[in-house]
Amino acid sequence: MDIQEEILKLKEKKDAIILAHYYQRPEIQEIADAVGDSYYLSKLAKDCPNKVIVFCGVRFMAESAKILSPEKTVILPVQEAGCPMADIVERQQIINLKKEHPNAAVVCYINSTAQVKAESDVTVTSSNAFKIIKNLEQEEIIFLPDQNLGSYIAEQIPEKRFILWKGFCITHKRIQKSNIIFIKKKKPRAKVLVHPECEKDVRDFADFIGSTKEMIDYATSSKEKDFIIVTEQGILHALQKKNPDKNFYIPDSTMICTNMKKIRLEDVYKGLFNMNSIIEVEEKIRQKAFQSLINMHRYAKSYGL
């Protein structure tokens, strides 16, 4: 059985769209109808006409698709594909924090559970967080769950006071500045592209800081040939496809998100064939989380993002 061909047949039969994050396995990215970062994929999930969404990513991404499009069937091919950072904060903890800071806007990174989004005023991604937060009327910002992204945004908006949740991405936290310096000694002209989920000392060493899509765009438009890519190494597939004449280096052998790599072609096939691994969100939670997500899309549209 040619599993890719069978997936394509099932996709047509079930009126499905396959969405994949840049961190997915190369073969998953190749079978997908669209590959992108969290914001782009959430927009596609919201706007696509398909009845079924197969989300090749992690749980918070599939949840966001269901929140935005409750009438659609959302399949996460491997239910155990989670996000440790998203799971680091619970809804009641936010409720308590809001009581302590009643005048603060609650801003959650899209890498959050549906329950966390339900207690937030607006959801943001690494590509739109700065513009959205800068334009909020509140001077006090509760930002969660990623402390590193939050501190990066706070550096750029000193007029606001940030209360940062002490969460982090285990994959991005693992990288150290020494890993980058090791490659720079061999490739001194290499540009260092860093995701804002990294620690501050790593960000300070960057030539460019941005989301996965922004990193791809930067490398593609640059005249340079060598790049050190400081994020999950699944991004290399898109970078190399767009830039076959350029060289990309990952500064550590462990820049792998094991959760992002859990989904295989066999899982996509089984999910579509059996119509299982379906994501559900409690309606009361979904309605509250919807407002947080739709606010992100509304703000992003008004700022031309």
Side-chain angles (χ1 to χ4, degrees), residues 179-191:
N179 302 131
I180 302 170
I181 293 171
F182 179 78
I183 298 177
K184 283 287 279 186
K185 287 179 178 178
K186 297 180 179 180
K187 301 288 180 179
R189 288 180 57 87
K191 294 294 183 182

Side-chain angles (χ1 to χ4, degrees), residues 6 23 29 133-134 144 271:
E6 292 302 314
Y23 296 164
Q29 295 187 44
I133 294 173
K134 185 173 178 62
L144 51 99

Side-chain angles (χ1 to χ4, degrees), residues 58-272:
V58 290
R59 175 169 285 273
F60 75 79
M61 297 178 180
E63 280 186 344
S64 293
K66 186 64 178 179
I67 290 164
L68 290 166
S69 300
E71 75 284 0
K72 297 170 186 174
T73 299
V74 179
I75 294 172
L76 178 64
V78 176
Q79 290 281 311
E80 295 76 28
C83 173
M85 179 167 66
D87 295 335
I88 207 167
V89 55
E90 297 179 356
R91 185 184 182 196
Q92 188 58 49
Q93 292 173 307
I94 304 175
I95 293 172
N96 295 341
L97 198 56
K98 287 163 73 172
K99 290 178 181 177
E100 295 174 20
H101 303 276
N103 297 319
V106 181
V107 180
C108 74
Y109 191 19
I110 198 168
N111 301 39
S112 300
T113 65
Q115 292 209 348
V116 168
K117 290 182 175 76
E119 292 300 328
S120 301
D121 296 302
V122 62
T123 299
V124 297
T125 68
S126 53
S127 60
N128 62 33
F130 168 73
K131 279 197 174 180
I132 289 177
I133 294 173
K134 185 173 178 62
N135 285 282
L136 291 176
E137 62 180 26
Q138 292 90 341
E139 295 181 358
E140 196 172 35
I141 307 294
I142 295 172
F143 188 91
L144 51 99
D146 184 30
Q147 180 176 233
N148 289 320
L149 175 59
S151 66
Y152 172 63
I153 301 301
E155 289 166 8
Q156 301 174 72
I157 316 176
E159 66 272 20
K160 292 185 185 285
R161 177 172 175 262
F162 282 73
I163 299 99
L164 302 177
W165 193 264
K166 295 185 178 180
F168 56 86
C169 167
I170 57 176
T171 303
H172 287 95
K173 186 177 177 63
R174 192 178 295 131
I175 197 68
Q176 297 180 14
K177 188 169 71 172
S178 59
N179 302 131
I180 302 170
I181 293 171
F182 179 78
I183 298 177
K184 283 287 279 186
K185 287 179 178 178
K186 297 180 179 180
K187 301 288 180 179
R189 288 180 57 87
K191 294 294 183 182
V192 181
L193 279 53
V194 173
H195 196 283
E197 288 180 21
C198 292
E199 298 278 316
K200 178 172 171 51
D201 65 335
V202 173
R203 298 198 309 266
D204 288 344
F205 204 71
D207 294 297
F208 176 79
I209 300 173
S211 68
T212 46
K213 182 182 184 302
E214 289 169 337
M215 293 168 77
I216 292 169
D217 290 345
Y218 180 95
T220 301
S221 63
S222 174
K223 294 180 181 178
E224 297 295 328
K225 294 293 185 181
D226 295 327
F227 300 88
I228 300 172
I229 305 298
V230 190
T231 192
E232 212 278 347
Q233 67 185 46
I235 196 178
L236 292 179
H237 184 66
L239 281 166
Q240 289 163 346
K241 280 185 70 174
K242 288 177 176 287
N243 305 279
D245 59 333
K246 296 179 181 179
N247 305 306
F248 301 99
Y249 307 94
I250 294 289
D252 189 80
S253 61
T254 56
M255 288 294 284
I256 298 173
C257 173
T258 56
N259 280 284
M260 279 287 191
K261 298 297 188 282
K262 285 181 178 178
I263 297 174
R264 300 174 182 270
L265 289 175
E266 292 80 2
D267 302 309
V268 177
Y269 173 79
K270 289 176 183 177
L272 272 171

